[in-house]
């Protein structure tokens, strides 16, 4: 692996390239925070995809793409004299040191759960104690991730189930309520109950130390793989999926499932 000196040299080289691109490239020269925003979101999802596949080469590549965006935003900030890459680094270093008093101070902790609890308490103090517990959950987060973070933050102040089994009971309760509203034909009420059911399921996942977004993505990939198998079988037999019966597709689904073992 590279030395710290080599790492710093490589980062400096990236900064030099960014400086030159901002002056000489017609595309890079006109970019703004707003114009880059959607690209940054896409790059983040591409990194997430590589992480899910555990593709080390792709992870390295996507980290570079995301790092470029960090450097790009810092370069734009320096041009308006608001901040530069040093300020970005200084701010995150200050935050990490402040929120890790058990590493950089004299605080004693017993396990990662206490670290997380201390982290949330320190975050509240950073704004003079005026922040609410859930204030740090971004509105723009995807719903599954947002629910997980809401529950996680509430748990750090003691508002939580003690065991996953207790949360599972809530799932059954919400499922019964959803069934009742669907039977009544009340669409709006059923929508609310479905949301409550999903929230309860996410709570079970969190307490079982399973990230629901990761779990759902694995199910998405599994479904795609099995469905593609059905489609390939249909194509190889000269048929269309629309021409197949549900029983035929179900048999092929089970065949694809058996090949995974």
């Amino acid at each position: 692996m590279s030395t710290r000196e080599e790492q710093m040299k490589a980062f400096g080289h990236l900064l030099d390239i960014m400086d030159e691109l901002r002056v000489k490239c017609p595309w890079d020269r006109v970019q703004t925070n707003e114009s880059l925003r959607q690209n940054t979101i896409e790059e983040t999802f591409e990194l997430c995809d590589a992480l899910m596949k555990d593709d080390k080469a792709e992870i390295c590549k996507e980290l570079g793409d995301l790092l470029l965006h960090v450097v790009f935003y810092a370069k734009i900030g320096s041009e308006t004299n608001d901040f530069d890459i040093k300020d970005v680094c200084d701010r995150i270093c200050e935050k990490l040191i402040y929120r890790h008093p058990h590493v950089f101070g004299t605080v004693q902790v017993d396990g990662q759960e206490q670290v997380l609890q201390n982290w949330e308490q320190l975050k509240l103090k950073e704004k003079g104690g005026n922040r609410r517990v859930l204030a740090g959950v971004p509105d723009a987060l995807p719903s599954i991730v947002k629910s997980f973070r809401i529950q996680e933050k509430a748990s750090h102040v003691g508002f939580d189930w003690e065991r996953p089994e207790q949360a599972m009971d809530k799932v059954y309760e919400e499922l019964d309520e959803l069934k009742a509203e669907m039977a009544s034909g009340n669409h709006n009420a059923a929508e609310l109950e479905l949301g409550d059911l999903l929230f309860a399921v996410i709570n079970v996942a969190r307490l079982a130390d399973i990230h629901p977004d990761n779990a759902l993505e694995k199910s998405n990939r599994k479904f795609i793989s099995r469905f593609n198998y059905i489609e390939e079988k249909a194509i190889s037999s000269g048929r269309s999926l629309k021409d197949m019966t549900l029983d035929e597709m179900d048999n092929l689904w089970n065949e694809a499932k058996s090949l995974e073992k």
Side-chain angles (χ1 to χ4, degrees):
M1 296 300 290
S2 59
T3 65
R4 178 56 57 87
E5 182 180 354
E6 291 170 330
Q7 293 166 1
M8 297 301 293
K9 183 178 179 180
F11 187 62
H13 188 207
L14 174 59
L15 296 178
D16 291 340
I17 290 173
M18 186 73 255
D19 289 344
E20 195 160 354
L21 289 175
R22 192 65 173 164
V23 173
K24 297 180 179 179
C25 176
W27 186 87
D28 290 281
R29 188 168 56 227
V30 299
Q31 297 310 304
T32 65
N33 287 340
E34 183 60 29
S35 68
L36 288 172
R37 177 179 172 276
Q38 188 58 44
N39 289 343
T40 306
I41 293 171
E42 291 174 11
E43 294 294 355
T44 303
F45 277 110
E46 288 176 7
L47 173 60
C48 290
D49 189 51
L51 290 168
M52 286 295 295
K53 294 175 181 176
D54 196 28
D55 185 332
K56 301 300 193 299
E58 195 66 14
I59 291 171
C60 181
K61 171 184 172 295
E62 296 302 339
L63 282 172
D65 291 343
L66 201 56
L67 178 58
L68 171 62
H69 280 248
V70 173
V71 169
F72 212 144
Y73 289 120
K75 177 62 178 177
I76 293 172
S78 71
E79 292 167 353
T80 57
N81 293 318
D82 291 312
F83 60 87
D84 61 16
I85 193 65
K86 177 183 180 299
D87 297 312
V88 173
C89 292
D90 286 346
R91 287 289 295 275
I92 189 59
C93 287
E94 289 169 6
K95 180 188 291 186
L96 289 173
I97 292 170
Y98 175 72
R99 293 189 188 175
H100 290 80
H102 54 287
V103 176
F104 301 104
T106 58
V107 172
Q108 299 294 315
V109 294
D110 183 21
Q112 64 172 344
E113 183 57 35
Q114 194 172 352
V115 171
L116 292 173
Q117 290 174 356
N118 289 345
W119 180 281
E120 293 298 332
Q121 292 301 315
L122 289 167
K123 284 180 69 175
L124 291 176
K125 293 178 181 178
E126 285 174 7
K127 296 293 184 179
N130 294 323
R131 285 172 62 95
R132 301 288 185 176
V133 172
L134 302 181
V137 181
D139 291 336
L141 279 179
S143 297
I144 289 179
V145 179
K146 184 189 290 187
S147 294
F148 190 91
R149 290 294 290 137
I150 288 170
Q151 295 167 8
E152 195 174 46
K153 283 180 172 292
S155 73
H156 293 152
V157 294
F159 191 75
D160 201 4
W161 304 105
E162 293 181 358
R163 303 185 307 278
E165 293 78 14
Q166 295 171 310
M168 185 65 77
D169 290 339
K170 187 66 175 176
V171 170
Y172 295 132
E173 176 187 324
E174 296 295 351
L175 180 59
D176 288 339
E177 292 177 4
L178 173 60
K179 288 178 179 178
E181 295 299 347
M182 290 182 69
S184 73
N186 189 332
H187 181 271
N188 290 336
E191 182 181 50
L192 292 175
E193 293 301 339
L194 178 60
D196 290 345
L197 175 60
L198 293 172
F199 194 87
V201 169
I202 291 169
N203 228 346
V204 171
R206 180 182 57 81
L207 287 162
D209 197 25
I210 299 171
H211 200 290
D213 193 66
N214 291 343
L216 182 58
E217 180 56 23
K218 289 178 181 178
S219 291
N220 289 340
R221 292 171 186 268
K222 182 167 57 179
F223 183 94
I224 290 171
S225 176
R226 294 176 185 176
F227 191 84
N228 285 346
Y229 181 86
I230 297 172
E231 192 169 27
E232 288 298 326
K233 286 292 184 179
I235 293 172
S236 65
S237 64
R239 303 175 65 189
S240 166
L241 285 175
K242 292 182 178 179
D243 298 330
M244 300 180 73
T245 66
L246 183 57
D247 284 341
E248 286 177 312
M249 287 191 284
D250 194 47
N251 288 334
L252 286 173
W253 176 276
N254 289 328
E255 188 176 305
K257 186 176 179 179
S258 68
L259 294 173
E260 296 170 356
K261 298 178 180 178

